[in-house]
């Protein structure tokens, strides 16, 4: 089975309690189960991680690049300002799909800019947790 990392940035551990009108009532545990189940259906071995630490996220991206592991990444707030994260993504050696639960373009002005989108394979946003399912489907199709 092909390994895939699903990496989640800051505050995503608060899913279910953080702004449920924006992010829904599902928890990080629900997201993890959804991603693992979807992965199994697609023949992927999915490892889900979450961190509020930019350095840890960058280390995980380096690990993925070194191992040629595809990534589904929700950079969360790092999306809008982390050039260090952008530079780590630029070193990728396998597909990387940027995902967002909400649609950043339909939210506050500061969320409209993604510094990581230009170095990602693609971006899926605005479909709730289904954004992750769509991203995993894309990885299954393009990662050989």
């Amino acid at each position: 089975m092909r390994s895939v990392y699903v990496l989640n940035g800051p505050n995503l551990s608060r899913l279910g309690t953080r702004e449920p009108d924006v992010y829904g009532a599902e928890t990080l545990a629900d997201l993890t189960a959804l991603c693992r189940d979807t992965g199994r259906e697609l023949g992927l071995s999915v490892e889900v991680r979450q961190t509020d630490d930019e350095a840890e996220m960058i280390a995980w991206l380096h690990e993925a690049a070194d191992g040629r592991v595809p990534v589904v990444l929700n950079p969360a707030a790092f999306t809008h300002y982390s050039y260090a994260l952008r530079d780590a993504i630029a070193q990728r050696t396998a597909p990387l799909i940027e995902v967002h639960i909400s649609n950043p373009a339909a939210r506050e002005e500061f969320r409209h800019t993604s510094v990581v989108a230009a170095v990602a394979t693609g971006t899926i946003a605005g479909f709730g947790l289904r954004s992750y399912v769509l991203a995993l489907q894309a990885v299954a199709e393009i990662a050989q």
Side-chain angles (χ1 to χ4, degrees), residues 16-74:
T17 58
R18 177 187 178 215
E19 298 177 83
D21 56 318
V22 174
Y23 298 105
E26 295 91 357
T27 66
L28 182 60
D30 296 330
L31 171 62
T32 298
L34 175 65
C35 289
R36 288 184 180 151
D37 291 346
T38 300
R40 271 191 294 279
E41 292 171 12
L42 297 169
L44 302 171
S45 174
V46 175
E47 183 173 335
V48 180
R49 301 176 185 178
Q50 187 279 327
T51 186
D52 296 328
D53 185 310
E54 187 175 17
E56 185 170 37
M57 180 67 78
I58 290 166
W60 292 343
L61 290 165
H62 292 168
E63 178 185 323
D66 291 346
R68 299 187 179 280
V69 177
V71 174
V72 171
L73 172 67
N74 186 337

Side-chain angles (χ1 to χ4, degrees), residues 87-129:
D87 290 348
I89 295 166
Q91 298 173 50
R92 67 184 176 79
T93 56
L96 183 141
I97 310 297
E98 175 188 8
V99 299
H100 298 282
I101 295 169
S102 67
N103 179 358
R107 297 187 61 201
E108 303 92 337
E109 182 73 27
F110 76 90
R111 296 185 196 275
H112 295 184
T113 299
S114 170
V115 300
V116 303
V119 291
T121 305
T123 301
I124 299 171
F127 297 99
L129 297 191

